[in-house]
Amino acid sequence: MEENFTQQRTRTINITIYTEGDSKQIAADLSKQTFAEEKDNRILAFKGKNIEDVTTIKPCDLAIIIAAEDNKKANELSDNLRKEGNLRIRVTRGLDNMYKQVTYMIIELEKALELGLLLTDYVQVYRRNIPMYKIESQLKNFKTGISKISLERPAVLGDGILPLSKEVATEYAEYFEKKKHNFKLEKFVPASGAATRMFKFLHEFLANYNPEKETINGYINRKKDTNLEVFLLGLERFPFYEEIAAAAEKGIVYPDADNENVREDARNYNFIKTMMGENGFDYANKPKGILPFHKYDHIAATPVYEHLREAAAYAESQGKTHVHFTISENHLDGFLDSINEARSKVEEETGVKISFDFTYQQKETDTIAVDMQNRPFRDSKLTLLFRPGGHGALIENLNMIDADIVFVKNIDNVRHTKMETIALYKNALAGMLAKLQEKVFYYLNRIENHEASEAELDEILDFATDKLMQDISPDFDKFTVENKFLTVKELLNRPIRVCGMVKNEGEPGGGPFWVKGNKGRLSLQIVESSQIDLDNKIQSHIFSQSTHFNPVDIVCGLKDYKGNRFDLPRYVDPNTGFIVTKNRMGVDVKSYELPGLWNGAMAGWITVFAEVPLKTFNPVKTVNDLLKPAHQKPV
């Protein structure tokens, strides 16, 4: 019986290397590499061209142009390739070793092809500066899923959470006041989020309400929209009321009916349209940080203003303070205006000189999205979809901070009053950190200088377990003396965070737990509900027993005992990300969020939890939160 054999045709991928010099030699050397051999019915073919010699452009599958940024000929060549629709990459760095540069690019290209990506996909990934191993890891996570956290027990007072009475807090705060001028201090404020969720119910109202067919009260009853009811009842108490009402009044078209209820509906409807509309105040598309949150006698204060006030109260050293905001690039102008306006007021009020800077969430921390069959998702232009990697991406921003002690607090966690209490407990957390670091550095220096005796190991271990909440290996006593010191050094030589925890009153979000790692060792972690297998009755029960909530009130020690900055990404647990489902153009897609900034991104840190008063936690998740006492001027 005759058999039919079908041989798939080998595809040649033609790659042209354009350089200012030895392009032909580079192409010849690349052709000798193993990646140039036939593989998976494809073969990579290389050709070298000197940029100065190019007169006519011959099409290829991929053009790589390597030359200095100010090389006009190279820039013209790149532009002409673009006009011809030729796939291209423009390289302006690494010119001292062009062969090494191109070799790395081709290895990355080969990996992309092995993953089933297209040439266009590779160029898109390369331009985002995302290493291909990250794409490979993310695609694997979608297919295999992410392992759930294994909770051992909740962290509670006396077992993972340290009590912090006002008297003890005052002692720590006073200690920090004495020491703080020895430190370079900074406040770190994640502030990139838009205020969209704050106004979700108002968006829904504008989309579903028809003023010609029903009253607002009728809409509230039909939709059972208590949020809208609360918003309208408290309307005049919002810090932005007067400004928006004045603007809205100009555009109101009152109905013919001489009925005050009808007229009030018209005023309220136009107020909401003016506040939300793109031609009005466009609040939902602005970042939370620059919206009015509080009303003082002289100003409507934004979160930016309140964070600068806080920084002057507890992050000041030698009459100066520095605040770092992570923002979205398209919100830069709004932040600059808001900060410059607030800074002059706060400096005048406090006498503290304020400096500030920004970073954006880096594009290389974006993650690839897939469809529900775990295939890379492409939009209508057939380009890959990338989504921001979540707040866990900000570990890279924090890693760039050159400071000894950094205060971390979310942009929306501010309040109108109780500044003294907030400052006291922030200083107390910093005092706890300073004391712990002092002892850690003392022990590490003694170990480094071979001054620590074997007998002193017991003292160090007691400190590590009692003060730093470390779980020591049960095999520790079997180690040699040398390995004991190495183990203790590794245990202590890590970044430290002291985290304030508040009593749980039903707020959604993460909490403190003792978590069991892969090797059975326990550590203190902040865990989100999405990281837990809630279908597991034991895990669900442990989660339900949590007594405290994470308010993101963290003080970080970013330098080691030699004064060097820790490389923070080394302490991220990559297995603690999140897979979330989003809707894109009417299609469900899955995206991967990096381990959260205060969750898996800090999993390898030394972690200490301390209880702080609930009054230090005052987030604004919806606009109606601004009606709570913490955000209203006391009567």
Side-chain angles (χ1 to χ4, degrees):
M1 179 176 173
E2 185 175 301
E3 293 182 24
N4 292 321
F5 294 92
T6 302
Q7 184 175 1
Q8 188 175 349
R9 190 174 178 181
T10 299
R11 180 195 171 199
T12 300
I13 299 174
N14 293 298
I15 301 171
T16 303
I17 316 294
Y18 294 93
T19 72
E20 296 178 271
D22 52 358
S23 56
K24 291 184 179 180
Q25 185 60 53
I26 290 174
D29 290 341
L30 290 172
S31 299
K32 298 174 184 176
Q33 298 295 327
T34 55
F35 50 60
E37 298 171 0
E38 184 176 340
K39 190 175 187 180
D40 298 329
N41 294 107
R42 67 170 183 269
I43 189 167
L44 304 182
F46 302 96
K47 186 177 290 187
K49 292 278 188 180
N50 191 316
I51 292 172
E52 296 298 326
D53 296 337
V54 176
T55 54
T56 58
I57 295 176
K58 293 185 179 180
C60 61
D61 295 302
L62 176 64
I64 300 174
I65 308 114
I66 306 176
E69 193 171 358
D70 58 358
N71 187 309
K72 292 182 179 179
K73 185 79 173 177
N75 293 335
E76 289 174 5
L77 172 62
S78 180
D79 193 47
N80 288 333
L81 286 164
R82 177 187 62 80
K83 291 175 181 177
E84 294 288 332
N86 205 118
L87 203 59
R88 76 219 174 277
I89 292 175
R90 176 75 169 90
V91 181
T92 59
R93 298 180 180 180
L95 306 183
D96 55 330
N97 193 332
M98 290 184 284
Y99 177 73
K100 182 179 179 181
Q101 173 87 294
V102 179
T103 301
Y104 170 76
M105 295 169 68
I106 302 304
I107 291 172
E108 288 284 277
L109 169 60
E110 187 179 36
K111 175 58 72 176
L113 296 173
E114 288 173 357
L115 291 174
L117 299 182
L118 308 175
L119 274 175
T120 50
D121 299 335
Y122 164 71
V123 172
Q124 188 181 352
V125 172
Y126 178 85
R127 288 175 178 170
R128 285 178 169 269
N129 199 29
I130 302 175
M132 201 56 63
Y133 77 86
K134 290 189 176 181
I135 300 295
E136 182 179 25
S137 175
Q138 290 163 23
L139 292 175
K140 181 180 178 182
N141 284 334
F142 288 123
K143 292 177 181 178
T144 62
I146 296 176
S147 300
K148 295 294 186 180
I149 291 287
S150 178
L151 303 180
E152 178 70 13
R153 61 186 186 272
V156 297
L157 278 177
D159 182 22
I161 300 179
L162 301 173
L164 195 58
S165 66
K166 188 173 182 180
E167 293 73 23
V168 173
T170 301
E171 290 177 11
Y172 277 123
E174 289 174 350
Y175 181 82
F176 181 64
E177 281 291 326
K178 294 175 184 176
K179 297 283 186 177
K180 69 178 183 179
H181 297 299
N182 299 325
F183 301 118
K184 185 176 181 182
L185 308 177
E186 191 153 337
K187 184 173 182 180
F188 184 88
V189 185
S192 57
T196 309
R197 293 180 187 175
M198 272 184 68
F199 302 99
K200 184 174 181 289
F201 68 90
L202 294 177
H203 264 307
E204 293 171 353
F205 167 69
L206 291 176
N208 297 307
Y209 173 67
N210 187 334
E212 296 179 1
K213 292 185 177 181
E214 66 181 334
T215 64
I216 291 180
N217 193 53
Y219 171 88
I220 290 172
N221 291 333
R222 176 169 64 87
K223 290 285 192 177
K224 297 181 175 56
D225 194 342
T226 55
N227 287 320
L228 180 60
E229 183 178 23
V230 170
F231 177 82
L232 294 176
L233 285 172
L235 195 60
E236 295 184 15
R237 295 166 53 203
F238 286 108
F240 46 74
Y241 172 75
E242 292 179 4
E243 184 180 13
I244 294 178
E249 183 68 30
K250 299 173 184 177
I252 296 178
V253 177
Y254 288 107
D256 295 333
D258 187 19
N259 181 305
E260 181 51 34
N261 289 333
V262 174
R263 294 173 68 83
E264 184 179 14
D265 271 9
R267 284 194 295 271
N268 288 338
Y269 181 53
N270 207 58
F271 180 96
I272 295 171
K273 284 202 303 180
T274 303
M275 182 175 74
M276 302 286 284
E278 291 183 6
N279 297 323
F281 288 74
D282 199 20
Y283 268 10
N285 289 318
K286 290 181 178 178
K288 281 185 181 182
I290 65 174
L291 299 181
F293 267 29
H294 303 145
K295 183 71 174 176
Y296 292 94
D297 292 335
H298 56 303
I299 60 164
T302 63
V304 160
Y305 173 85
E306 300 292 12
H307 275 286
L308 296 186
R309 283 181 67 223
E310 284 194 22
Y314 58 71
E316 169 271 330
S317 178
Q318 299 178 357
K320 300 177 183 178
T321 188
H322 187 86
V323 185
H324 181 96
F325 295 91
T326 65
I327 66 170
S328 173
E329 193 168 355
N330 58 329
H331 292 146
L332 175 60
D333 290 342
F335 265 101
L336 279 173
D337 293 341
S338 183
I339 289 180
N340 283 322
E341 180 182 354
R343 178 170 66 168
S344 58
K345 291 184 174 70
V346 175
E347 286 182 339
E348 184 179 345
E349 293 167 4
T350 64
V352 175
K353 186 72 175 175
I354 298 172
S355 61
F356 66 89
D357 62 353
F358 305 108
T359 53
Y360 309 126
Q361 189 164 311
Q362 300 173 26
K363 285 291 184 184
E364 52 261 43
T365 63
D366 289 354
T367 61
I368 194 169
V370 299
D371 61 21
M372 301 311 287
Q373 286 73 46
N374 300 315
R375 299 169 302 200
F377 179 84
R378 292 180 174 83
D379 61 19
S380 57
K381 296 180 181 179
L382 299 181
T383 57
L384 296 174
L385 173 64
F386 285 87
R387 296 184 59 86
H391 62 68
L394 299 182
I395 197 68
E396 299 285 355
N397 302 63
L398 187 61
N399 198 43
M400 293 187 286
I401 301 293
D402 183 19
D404 301 299
I405 292 178
V406 174
F407 298 85
V408 179
K409 193 176 184 185
N410 275 342
I411 187 67
D412 65 353
N413 183 13
V414 290
R415 68 175 292 154
H416 198 291
T417 56
K418 306 295 183 183
M419 179 61 75
E420 298 81 5
T421 300
I422 291 170
L424 168 65
Y425 282 91
K426 270 291 193 183
N427 279 326
L429 296 178
M432 292 178 70
L433 174 70
K435 270 198 168 185
L436 291 172
Q437 274 197 155
E438 200 170 86
K439 198 73 170 176
V440 166
F441 291 176
Y442 168 76
Y443 286 137
L444 287 172
N445 274 306
R446 286 183 62 78
I447 293 171
E448 175 90 2
N449 298 321
H450 304 288
E451 296 171 350
S453 65
E454 187 176 352
E456 195 173 359
L457 270 174
D458 288 338
E459 177 187 325
I460 298 174
L461 289 176
D462 287 344
F463 170 76
T465 53
D466 296 343
K467 302 298 184 183
L468 302 181
M469 309 296 170
Q470 299 298 297
D471 185 21
I472 309 300
S473 170
D475 296 327
F476 184 81
D477 288 337
K478 301 175 185 177
F479 296 171
T480 65
V481 174
E482 182 181 3
N483 282 333
K484 284 180 178 180
F485 277 113
L486 286 174
T487 300
V488 167
K489 186 174 182 181
E490 183 182 354
L491 205 64
L492 299 184
N493 194 25
R494 289 182 287 152
I496 305 176
R497 58 173 176 164
V498 178
C499 310
M501 291 290 157
V502 297
K503 288 182 178 177
N504 195 336
E505 293 197 340
E507 291 281 356
F513 290 88
W514 288 99
V515 169
K516 185 180 292 185
N518 292 333
K519 296 180 181 180
R521 300 272 295 282
L522 299 181
S523 64
L524 283 175
Q525 302 289 343
I526 296 169
V527 183
E528 305 284 343
S529 59
S530 58
Q531 295 177 273
I532 303 163
D533 181 7
L534 294 177
D535 292 330
N536 181 306
K537 291 183 179 180
I538 295 175
Q539 292 291 294
S540 180
H541 176 72
I542 294 172
F543 183 69
S544 70
Q545 298 302 301
S546 177
T547 58
H548 286 71
F549 175 82
N550 162 45
V552 189
D553 194 359
I554 306 174
V555 185
C556 304
L558 302 186
K559 291 185 179 178
D560 65 16
Y561 66 106
K562 295 181 178 180
N564 300 315
R565 284 188 290 173
F566 286 105
D567 182 21
L568 301 184
R570 285 185 55 204
Y571 302 92
V572 174
D573 181 353
N575 299 314
T576 54
F578 308 84
I579 292 176
V580 295
T581 301
K582 303 282 186 179
N583 192 275
R584 175 77 174 183
M585 300 179 295
V587 179
D588 283 340
V589 298
K590 292 193 288 187
S591 64
Y592 172 71
E593 291 195 4
L594 300 170
L597 180 59
W598 34 84
N599 307 106
M602 293 181 173
W605 293 41
I606 293 171
T607 296
V608 175
F609 294 145
E611 186 182 60
V612 294
L614 194 58
K615 65 182 71 173
T616 63
F617 178 54
N618 306 280
V620 177
K621 301 305 178 186
T622 80
V623 65
N624 286 349
D625 286 335
L626 294 175
L627 299 175
K628 293 179 178 178
H631 300 287
Q632 292 287 312
K633 186 177 180 180
V635 178

